[in-house]
Structures are given as C-alpha cells and as structure tokens.
C-alpha cells in the first residue's frame, strides 16, 4: 500500500463526497472511459501508463456512461484486493450502483458482473464449496488423454487449411481448438461446440448483444446438464453433477458457464498471441529454436506482457479502505487490472521486461479466486503451439506486423485476425 503524498491545505481531499473522481459521483467526472471504440490491444497499454502516471496504482475509470469504478493497476494493490475477502467481496450484490438501480438491466456489464450462483460470485464457505467441486472435477481430467485430444484436434484443424497456402490462425485454429477441446471435456458433440463457441464470443464482446449471448450460452449448457443427468458419462459435466459437494442444477449450470467462458477466451487469446510473437519477434523465435528458451517460458512471457485477460471485474469494497492514493468507499466496484499490474515498474527489473521463468504474474488472478484450470489451460496452449510449429515450420505473416489488429474489448486482449502464408 502506497503512502499518500502531502497535499496543499486548499486541495479537497479524495474522501470528500464533492470530489468528481469518487465512484458514483453525479457531477462532472474525471473518470477515464474503459468502453467505446479504440479500446484494443494497441491502445490499452499506453492508457494504463498514462493512468498510472496521473493517478498512481489505483485509477478512477468509467465502465459505461455514469458507471464508475476503480482500476487497480498496482501489483501489490491487486494482490491485496484479490486476497483479502474480509475487505473485498466477489458478490456483486454489494455494488452500490447496482443496489441503487443505476446500472441498466440491459447493460453489457451484467454479462460479466450480474450475480449468479457460481464460484466467481461467492465468498468464504460458499465459494470454497463450489470451487472444491470445480477443482476436483477438473483434476479428474487425465493429462495424457487431454494432450492426445489437443494433438488430434490440432492435426485435424491444420489438415483443413494446410493445402490452401494461407490461413487465418485466429478463426481457423486458435478459436476452434479450445472450443472443440473444452466441448469434448464437457461430454458434448460438435453441433454443441459450435453453439458454445458462438455464445462465448458474443458474451466476451462487451456489446449490446452480450447479455443475450450469455443467455444463449446458459440455454445450451442447461440442455447438456439435463442430458448428462439422464445419461452420465466420463466427462466434466457428469462428474460435477455427482460431486460430493452436491451442487444444485443451477449451480452446476452457472459454474460450467464460468468455466467455459474463461477456458475458451483465455486459451484462445493465449495461443494466438504466442503465435503472433513467434512470427514477429525473431529473437524470441531464435531462442526457442536454439533451445535457449523453453516453450513454457515463452508462454509465461506472453502472460506477463500480453495477458489474455486485460481486466477482471469485479470486487466490491465491504468497508471504507485506503488503497494506493485513493479512499475506496464501501460499495465501490474495483476492477483487477491484470495487464497493467504485469507492467508495474515496481516489480519489474530496470529494463522493464519480466525475467524468463518467472511465474509470479497475475494473468490467472490471485488469492482464493485464482483460476482453478491453469494447468489444463497451459497444456492446451503449449500443445497447440507445439503441433503448429512442427507441422508448419515455414509459417510467415501474410500482412505487415503493423496491420495486425486486436479485437476491441476492455476485458480481454485477443487478436482479431492473424493471417499467415504457409510454405509449399
């Protein structure tokens, strides 16, 4: 926690309700928008550094017009928020703006922060009960079998475009591979895979359709849950239904939804960004080819520099607390700035680049709510990159690097496209 600098006596202190940078203040706002056009992987890093220079490790932002929050960009501050449940809840029903009816019912934000009976929105004992069920269930997935599934899926996807001479590795590979793998783990078939992938993409888009896409996702998963209750199999859905924690049907549904969205979006972006770096960074590619860098180390560099999830909502202050230079009030929302925290100069070497092999990044969150599927996500991403490099060693970009575009989203960092040419 950073000590507050001295202020002239004439300056209004930040805890004063009249300051315009208080979340929820109705007057003229100094909150920087985290919505609208231009919020993509190219523009966000510069925005974070501008916010850090102006506000320190915690900055006032707007998630939508009139919907204010704190963006936690400091590494130490983020760990404090993520670890201290007695001060910061995961339950959005503590959010003052939501309680006061100041968040529209059709807001895209509710696709991410609307309360559901899932581990992502629970604290304490309720969270531990659901997390144990999800973690135990994922732990039953055999690593060897998962690796074979990923390799087989990767080979089939590559076979589909290898003879064309060109491909777009985002829709043709990075998007489809985790969608098909996760669907197989759930015990679903290919038509369900396509529906899930479409609904997940719509939910993560953070636009007017996000809420509707979230409902489509729930309908697909509800049908799957009820099918597995009638005819269980050796799959994640069936195991979650029969876990000793005895989750209710709606708890199984919503925990599956959280798992599917996180697994698909995170892994897709992780794969695509790693492939982009290997295609555009000759030094990184040479280090990997020469054995000076392992693929796992390259994957971790991606998690430090370009984490698949940029910002993770939300945490809700349970009491008034001082965080960084800010006075956070009970009921305020805080957003975990995972990407900004990974660039915090206080935890990086003087060169500003993370140390190879360092896994102290917060790309998967931290504390009791850290992602329970990290091992599975890493196995999928590593295998996907390995197979593509082995099968298509002569890959090269089909467009200049500066023309590569990121998808516009305040939450995730993913490429919109990665067009490549294949060697004959």
């Amino acid at each position: 926690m950073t000590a507050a600098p001295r202020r002239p006596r004439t300056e209004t202190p930040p805890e004063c309700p009249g300051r315009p940078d208080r979340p929820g203040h109705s007057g003229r706002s100094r909150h920087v928008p985290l919505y609208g056009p231009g919020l993509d992987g190219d523009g966000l890093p510069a925005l974070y550094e501008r916010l850090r220079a102006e506000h320190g490790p915690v900055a006032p932002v707007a998630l939508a017009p009139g919907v204010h929050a704190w963006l936690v960009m400091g590494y130490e501050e983020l760990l404090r928020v993520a670890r201290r449940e007695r001060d910061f809840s995961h339950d959005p029903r503590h959010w003052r703006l939501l309680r006061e009816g100041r968040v529209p019912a059709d807001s895209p934000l509710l696709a991410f922060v609307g309360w559901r009976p899932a581990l992502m929105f629970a604290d304490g004992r309720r969270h531990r009960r659901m997390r144990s069920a999800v973690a135990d269930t994922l732990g039953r997935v055999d690593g060897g079998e998962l690796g074979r599934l990923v390799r087989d899926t990767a080979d089939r996807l590559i076979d589909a475009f290898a003879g064309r001479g060109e491909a777009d590795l985002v829709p043709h590979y990075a998007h489809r591979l985790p969608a098909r793998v996760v669907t197989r783990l759930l015990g679903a078939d290919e038509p369900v895979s396509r529906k899930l992938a479409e609904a997940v993409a719509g939910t993560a888009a953070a636009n007017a359709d996000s809420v509707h896409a979230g409902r489509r996702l729930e309908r697909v998963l509800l049908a799957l849950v009820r099918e597995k209750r009638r005819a269980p199999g050796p799959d994640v859905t069936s195991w979650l239904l029969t876990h000793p924690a005895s989750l209710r049907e709606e708890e199984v549904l919503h925990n599956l939804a959280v798992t599917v969205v996180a697994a698909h979006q995170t892994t897709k972006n992780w794969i695509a960004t790693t492939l982009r770096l290997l295609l555009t960074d000759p030094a990184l590619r040479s280090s990997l080819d020469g054995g000076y860098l392992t693929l796992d180390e390259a994957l971790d560099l991606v998690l430090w520099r370009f984490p698949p999830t940029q910002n993770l909502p939300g945490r809700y202050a349970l009491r008034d607390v001082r965080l960084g230079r800010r006075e956070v009030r009970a009921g305020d929302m805080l957003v975990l700035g995972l990407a900004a925290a990974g660039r915090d100069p206080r935890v990086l070497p003087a060169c500003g680049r993370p140390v190879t092999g360092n896994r102290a990044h917060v790309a998967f969150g931290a504390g009791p709510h850290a992602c329970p599927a990290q091992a599975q996500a890493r196995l999928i991403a590593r295998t996907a990159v390995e197979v593509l490099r082995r099968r298509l060693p002569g890959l090269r970009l089909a467009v200049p690097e500066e023309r590569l575009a990121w998808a516009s989203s305040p939450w995730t960092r993913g490429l919109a496209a990665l067009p490549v040419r294949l060697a004959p």
Side-chain angles (χ1 to χ4, degrees), residues 75 297 300-301 303-304 347-349 354-361:
Y75 183 89
E297 289 170 337
D300 281 310
L301 286 174
L303 294 181
W304 275 104
V347 298
L348 292 177
V355 176
T356 300
N358 184 347
R359 291 191 179 176
H361 53 72

Side-chain angles (χ1 to χ4, degrees), residues 39-383:
L39 282 181
D40 58 24
D42 287 326
L44 282 170
L47 173 63
Y48 299 146
E49 296 318 305
R50 179 166 66 84
L51 287 172
R52 198 191 312 274
E54 183 177 353
H55 299 284
V58 180
V61 295
L63 305 181
V67 181
H68 301 155
W70 299 108
L71 179 63
V72 184
M73 302 179 295
Y75 183 89
E76 293 180 4
E77 288 78 10
L78 187 147
L79 289 181
R80 177 186 170 191
V81 173
R83 291 171 174 172
R84 297 183 64 170
E85 286 187 314
R86 67 178 182 272
D87 291 334
F88 305 100
S89 172
H90 295 73
D91 190 332
R93 292 173 295 187
H94 291 290
W95 187 15
R96 185 191 321 108
L97 296 185
L98 192 62
R99 293 200 311 265
E100 294 174 353
R102 296 165 64 183
V103 182
D106 60 350
S107 170
L109 286 172
L110 296 182
F112 292 90
V113 303
W115 182 86
R116 301 165 186 83
L119 76 170
M120 187 175 177
F121 308 102
D123 302 311
R125 188 177 303 171
R126 290 189 65 250
H127 170 254
R128 289 191 295 273
R129 170 177 163 268
M130 288 188 282
R131 182 184 175 88
S132 68
V134 172
D136 292 348
T137 296
L138 293 174
R140 293 184 63 176
V141 175
D142 181 84
E145 292 183 7
L146 177 58
R148 286 189 290 274
L149 172 60
V150 178
R151 285 191 294 272
D152 179 66
T153 305
D155 279 329
R156 290 174 182 271
L157 291 173
I158 294 169
D159 288 343
F161 61 74
R164 301 177 190 168
E166 60 183 16
D168 186 336
L169 295 181
V170 172
H172 297 158
Y173 192 69
H175 175 73
R176 292 180 183 174
L177 188 147
R180 293 186 180 184
V181 169
V182 170
T183 303
R184 284 284 300 276
L185 294 179
L186 295 181
D189 56 19
E190 180 63 24
V192 173
S193 176
R194 289 194 294 271
K195 292 178 183 178
L196 286 176
E198 176 191 341
V200 168
T203 302
N207 57 30
D209 186 54
S210 292
V211 173
H212 302 295
R215 290 171 184 158
R216 293 196 297 272
L217 174 66
E218 291 173 6
R219 286 196 295 269
V220 174
L221 289 174
L222 180 59
L224 177 63
V225 167
R226 290 177 174 172
E227 174 191 336
K228 292 299 176 179
R229 190 178 292 281
R230 291 192 301 268
D235 53 69
V236 167
T237 307
S238 300
W239 295 335
L240 197 56
L241 281 165
T242 57
H243 189 273
S246 300
L247 300 188
R248 302 188 307 276
E249 183 178 89
E250 63 173 351
E251 291 176 326
V252 172
L253 164 65
H254 289 290
N255 280 292
L256 283 178
V258 168
T259 303
V260 168
V261 172
H264 180 262
Q265 284 297 114
T266 299
T267 313
K268 164 196 162 186
N269 293 342
W270 197 3
I271 293 169
T273 304
T274 303
L275 293 174
R276 169 187 175 269
L277 283 183
L278 292 175
L279 289 166
T280 59
D281 189 333
L284 181 65
R285 186 170 62 250
S286 176
S287 296
L288 193 58
D289 292 341
Y292 301 106
L293 186 73
T294 68
L295 183 49
D296 270 314
E297 289 170 337
L299 289 167
D300 281 310
L301 286 174
V302 171
L303 294 181
W304 275 104
R305 296 164 60 187
F306 310 104
T309 300
Q310 288 273 309
N311 301 304
L312 185 63
R315 302 294 188 270
Y316 309 92
L318 295 176
R319 54 182 57 85
D320 295 353
V321 294
R322 187 166 180 81
L323 189 70
R325 301 176 186 173
R326 301 294 167 182
E327 299 293 337
V328 176
R329 296 303 188 192
D332 286 354
M333 177 200 272
L334 301 100
V335 175
L336 301 186
L338 306 181
R343 293 172 177 263
D344 188 340
R346 296 177 297 174
V347 298
L348 292 177
C351 64
R353 295 175 67 89
V355 176
T356 300
N358 184 347
R359 291 191 179 176
H361 53 72
V362 291
F364 289 107
H369 278 257
C371 174
Q374 296 181 42
Q376 292 82 5
R378 180 177 292 273
L379 177 55
I380 295 171
R382 183 202 309 125
T383 307

